[in-house]
Amino acid sequence: MGKSLGNWMAIEKFTLQVPSDIGVLDQVVAWFDDIQPLNIPIKVWLQCKLAIAEGFTNAVRHAHRGLEGDLVVDLEVVFTTTSLEIRIWDYGLPFDLSGKIASLSSEVDQHSGGGRGLLILQKICDRLDYTRTVDQRNCLLMAKDF
């Protein structure tokens, strides 16, 4: 039976901790595929798969850039009866996600090697948030209703 969390019912929760290394992205995506439930539409699943890959990549390449030590990225996926929530924790400096998205141009340079990830996340996710936690980490929340 699920655990009540606010206004929704958590059916299943999965967690993963991996080194902050872009080389483990395949491991993150494979883990996500392994926990796929049958009741989520394939289009939603593929969008969330892209979101978790983008969120993890941003944590490693941006949040942890220039930081030293054996950093890890914590991931959590929660399935409810009507939504999927992905949380990714990093150790970077606080970041104003809403402000950054607002400053991005909708006319993205097609020849640029990057810069589209946050806009993609904004389009995919029904809820997108990045908050500082009491343990001095940041939590990226990406939620998709289905």
Side-chain angles (χ1 to χ4, degrees):
M1 186 57 117
K3 177 171 105 176
S4 179
L5 297 171
N7 295 341
W8 50 274
M9 179 73 70
I11 303 301
E12 290 187 273
K13 179 168 94 171
F14 299 90
T15 60
L16 177 69
Q17 184 178 77
V18 293
S20 180
D21 179 347
I22 201 65
V24 300
L25 177 59
D26 287 344
Q27 177 186 343
V28 170
V29 172
W31 167 77
F32 189 68
D33 276 338
D34 286 346
I35 63 173
Q36 180 179 2
L38 298 176
N39 67 322
I40 294 181
I42 189 67
K43 179 180 177 183
V44 169
W45 186 256
L46 292 174
Q47 289 173 331
C48 291
K49 188 173 174 177
L50 176 59
I52 201 168
E54 184 62 35
F56 175 78
T57 299
N58 285 349
V60 172
R61 288 190 176 157
H62 301 293
H64 290 168
R65 179 179 29 213
L67 299 180
E68 296 191 18
D70 294 328
L71 299 173
V72 296
V73 177
D74 290 305
L75 300 104
E76 176 184 272
V77 175
V78 176
F79 299 110
T80 74
T81 54
T82 60
S83 70
L84 184 157
E85 292 188 354
I86 300 167
R87 287 178 180 80
I88 301 175
W89 287 270
D90 68 64
Y91 290 91
L93 295 173
F95 172 70
D96 178 9
L97 178 64
S98 299
K100 181 64 175 177
I101 289 173
S103 73
L104 292 173
S105 169
S106 59
E107 299 287 325
V108 176
D109 180 359
Q110 297 299 320
H111 302 290
S112 169
R116 295 183 278 283
L118 293 179
L119 293 174
I120 290 169
L121 291 179
Q122 182 186 34
K123 288 181 182 185
I124 288 174
C125 300
D126 294 312
R127 290 176 304 288
L128 182 63
D129 194 25
Y130 192 70
T131 56
R132 190 71 167 175
T133 61
V134 295
D135 61 354
Q136 302 304 301
R137 295 188 299 166
N138 303 300
C139 180
L140 175 64
L141 166 67
M142 302 175 287
K144 182 73 175 171
D145 299 326
F146 55 88

